Amino acid sequence: MRTLPTAVLPIFAAAGWIVGRKVPVAPAAPAGHPVAAILGEFGGLNVGEPGLGIECARSDVVFGWSPHEGYEEISEIGDLLETDLACFAEAHNGHQSLYLDREGRVFDVSPVAPGISLVGRSFGEAMERILLGRKGSPLLLPSHDKVYWYGEVLLRGNPQILGIEELRKG
């Protein structure tokens, strides 16, 4: 079982999740990647609803394997952190794609508001942030000079931005 924070357990239960749930994982999903365990437990669930959240809008999460590899940002993050990222869900009415790396960190990418953020250093932390409406941390890739963050344009050097070096340190 993936560890879920107490605050989101009722939201997962309302979506049909129960402790010990197991569903088949798409054969194309990377078997040696932690994404397989998440999809095996939560695959097919539509959890939460968009609406007002604590710091920002709360979101829904629709779990399912996707070979989303079209985002340059994800490839760049993977290369910089020397890890593989795999898409395991869409969020906010399909406007965000959620990716898990081999260390269990969750990132989101949105074609609507270009940029990438670290949503959680663990699956549980990410689910709490997304489902309750708490902000993650914007990432600024070395190839970019700015990041769009909740209606603001943050430039390199802004203390709100999480740098790749900080992320590498843990």
Side-chain angles (χ1 to χ4, degrees):
M1 173 186 142
R2 296 276 130 196
T3 303
L4 292 171
T6 305
V8 298
L9 285 175
I11 301 169
F12 273 84
W17 174 80
I18 58 170
V19 174
R21 182 177 188 267
K22 298 263 188 237
V23 296
V25 177
H33 194 285
V35 76
I38 287 173
L39 291 172
E41 186 170 353
F42 304 107
L45 292 180
N46 186 342
V47 180
E49 294 180 17
L52 294 177
I54 296 168
E55 298 173 344
C56 60
R58 68 177 195 265
S59 183
D60 63 331
V61 178
V62 179
F63 290 91
W65 165 247
S66 175
H68 272 187
E69 294 176 11
Y71 296 116
E72 286 180 30
E73 292 92 347
I74 286 299
S75 296
E76 189 172 347
I77 289 281
D79 292 345
L80 291 167
L81 297 176
E82 298 176 1
T83 188
D84 298 325
L85 288 107
C87 186
F88 67 91
E90 289 189 344
H92 208 72
N93 291 320
H95 292 112
Q96 294 173 311
S97 296
L98 301 178
Y99 290 82
L100 184 75
D101 75 3
R102 289 194 176 275
E103 286 72 39
R105 296 173 291 202
V106 177
F107 300 86
D108 78 352
V109 176
S110 174
V112 176
I116 188 166
S117 66
L118 175 69
V119 186
R121 293 186 185 274
S122 70
F123 174 76
E125 179 185 356
M127 291 303 102
E128 185 171 38
R129 287 182 185 280
I130 293 166
L131 295 172
L132 300 182
R134 290 193 173 119
K135 293 179 182 178
S137 299
L139 295 175
L140 184 61
L141 299 172
S143 62
H144 297 134
D145 293 324
K146 61 187 171 196
V147 64
Y148 299 94
W149 189 247
Y150 293 95
E152 290 184 72
V153 177
L154 305 180
L155 301 175
R156 187 173 306 286
N158 186 306
Q160 294 180 70
I161 296 172
L162 178 63
I164 294 298
E165 290 305 320
E166 293 172 74
L167 195 53
R168 279 186 185 142
K169 293 176 188 173

